[in-house]
Amino acid sequence: MNEQPRATSVVVAGVGAYLPQRILTNKELAQDLETDDAWIRTRTGIRQRHIADPEESTSDLALKASERALTAARCSAQQIDAIVLATTTPENTFPATAARLQQKLGVGKPVPAYDVQAVCAGFVFALHSAWNMIRLQQARRVLVVGAEIYSRSIIDWTDRSTCVLFGDGAGAFVLEAQEKTKEKTQEKTQEKTTSATQRGILDIMLATDGGFYEQLYVDGGAGSSDRVGHLKMQGNVVFREAIDKMSQSVALLLARNGLSVQDIAWLVPHQANSRIMSGVARKLGIEEARVVSTVEDHGNISAATIPAALDHACKQGSVKKGDLVALTAMGGGFAWGGALIRW
Ligand code: UT7
């Protein structure tokens, strides 16, 4: 066989997640708030959320998820060439939470380590950045993390229309370069087979429409006020647009890669509301059995929902090597995006 090195594929070599120990149930929430378990479950699918301990910070959550992803990828922190961390709730206003994570992990050498802010779509934006770094051969292994502590300051615990939705947690991927190969003989046939079976990230799309800025935002921040601020949301607009934009992003990725909905083994949508996830699946024509869902137990953990959901699915043994996985998310901005990954 006549094999020669080709362009680099970017594979997910390991996944990890960390959810804080403390669980806050709907029933507990209803003790201090005019709400009830039945309303939260039927309108959102959420049963409980995890809450960080007072001594846990965003980088602590990120650290635990990262260590688990590194173990799954069978590599050490010293083998990481970059860290891209998506968060809306950074450890401090600066430096980047990724810098703190680099320090805690003991990477032991200077590498690019920076935060990405695209709210609930943050992990897909971070993935895009890491994917390109590897494709440009500026890194071989990149740690991509989503980590959030919404419970501490940006949630208004007296606002029942938002506080019941969110939780804390972290998830991480280790992305790794893998050489694509093709046989010199029967080049055309082989190329077709390769594109249909090659592992790794096939494509990512990103978009932002700032025209929706006021529909989901935090009313404070270092550049505009003397307070961190609280999350404000026009729930019904977010609901409608999330279904449209997430389903459209997957449809666009399938079309531009010559793939169809039937090729998707698993859809992993941003976990904000089970009714939104069902709406996306329905629009795409994907049955519910192929939708990964952790919203019931995690609530909405913003940039961390997708890696945490995938960690759960991998541990369950549902997502397997060779499966085509479609990710999609939308959040504040509005910012949204999607990715196709051959697992
Ligand atoms: O990650 C992206 C960010 N967020 C999202 O994706 C969330 C998107 N939006 C949603 O998930 C939904 O819009 C919500 C779950 C937030 C709200 O569900 P809804 O079916 O759109 O309810 P609604 O806003 O139309 O409110 C219906 C009623 C209202 O009462 P009235 O005005 O009809 O008397 C609310 O005051 O439900 C009331 N309500 C509640 N009742 C009990 C709102 N929150 C609660 C609550 N418990 N927690």
Side-chain angles (χ1 to χ4, degrees), residues 35 39 43 120 160-161 233 235 238 270 272-273 275-276 300:
T35 188
W39 190 95
R43 299 291 181 119
C120 296
R160 68 175 184 171
S161 67
M233 178 171 69
V238 179
H270 171 50
N273 182 323
R275 290 191 296 137
I276 295 177
N300 181 350

Side-chain angles (χ1 to χ4, degrees), residues 44-49 165 270-275 277 292-301 305 309:
T44 72
I46 298 167
R47 190 169 58 93
Q48 60 172 48
R49 68 286 296 140
L165 305 173
H270 171 50
Q271 314 275 311
N273 182 323
S274 58
R275 290 191 296 137
M277 290 155 62
V292 173
S293 178
T294 49
V295 71
E296 187 184 6
D297 292 332
H298 297 176
N300 181 350
I301 42 174
T305 65

Side-chain angles (χ1 to χ4, degrees), residues 29 33-40 42-46 119-121 150 159-166 215-216 231 233-240 242 246 270-276 300-302 305 329-332 334:
L29 264 175
L33 203 64
E34 202 187 322
T35 188
D36 56 78
D37 179 51
W39 190 95
I40 302 172
T42 48
R43 299 291 181 119
T44 72
I46 298 167
V119 204
C120 296
Y150 267 54
D159 177 5
R160 68 175 184 171
S161 67
T162 56
C163 75
V164 302
L165 305 173
F166 296 91
Q215 274 66 52
L216 176 53
L231 188 144
M233 178 171 69
Q234 224 173 301
N236 53 350
V237 178
V238 179
F239 190 98
R240 190 187 62 226
M246 290 202 282
H270 171 50
Q271 314 275 311
N273 182 323
S274 58
R275 290 191 296 137
I276 295 177
N300 181 350
I301 42 174
S302 194
T305 65
M330 191 206 87
F334 292 157

